[in-house]
Amino acid sequence: MALAEALRPALHRLYRQLRREVEDPGISPLQALLLVAILRQPGIGVAELARLEKLRGPTISGHIKAMEREGLVARAAPDPEDRRRSGLVATDKGRALIKGIKQRRTDWLAFELAKLSPEARAAICAAIGPLGDIGQ
């Protein structure tokens, strides 16, 4: 229990700082989250995306429309089994935007890690596997 109480705020601060380091006035954090989900599941529908992210359909629809206007996502060809449904795909601009965000986060984290002692970096390296197992 003590480990969890110590780890949770440290992870929360790290997460917040990573988000803060890459704030982009051209895209909201929610839109970036949606864009990553679309990149992971090309052709996903708006309703599926809403269920995945546990948000209301109208909320997602508004963000998707804004992202379409910005040229970040596009509608895929209609589903042959349901002509009313067209999935979403990331555009080249959307893929480049997410790639840039990930690169800025990686650069910031690498810079911060370089400030640590070799022993501290080794401890973090040793913890990566077990930390990854927690979220599975």
Side-chain angles (χ1 to χ4, degrees):
M1 184 71 121
L3 177 58
E5 288 177 357
L7 182 59
R8 188 190 49 75
L11 292 175
H12 182 70
R13 281 191 307 274
L14 180 59
Y15 174 74
R16 282 183 41 216
Q17 191 62 38
L18 277 169
R19 282 187 56 197
R20 193 175 300 130
E21 286 301 315
V22 295
E23 286 181 357
D24 188 321
I27 189 168
S28 73
L30 177 57
Q31 289 174 342
L33 180 76
L34 296 175
L35 188 50
V36 168
I38 293 166
L39 282 164
R40 287 186 182 142
Q41 296 183 44
I44 191 171
V46 173
E48 295 167 271
L49 192 55
R51 277 191 300 278
L52 177 72
E53 298 301 333
K54 295 177 178 50
L55 294 168
R56 294 181 34 236
T59 300
I60 298 290
S61 292
H63 284 284
I64 294 300
K65 287 177 184 171
M67 292 165 65
E68 283 181 297
R69 282 191 302 274
E70 292 297 319
L72 301 174
V73 298
R75 302 279 174 165
D79 186 327
E81 295 177 20
D82 182 356
R83 306 289 298 162
R84 296 169 298 163
R85 183 194 176 281
S86 61
L88 301 165
V89 293
T91 63
D92 288 343
K93 181 179 178 182
R95 282 190 292 280
L97 180 73
I98 293 302
K99 183 178 179 183
I101 288 172
K102 287 180 178 182
Q103 187 61 57
R104 287 191 304 273
R105 285 180 175 171
T106 299
D107 291 347
W108 176 84
L109 192 53
F111 179 77
E112 294 300 316
L113 288 168
K115 294 177 184 178
L116 300 175
S117 70
E119 295 80 16
R121 285 194 304 274
I124 291 170
C125 187
I128 291 172
L131 286 171
D133 292 343
I134 292 171
Q136 298 299 326

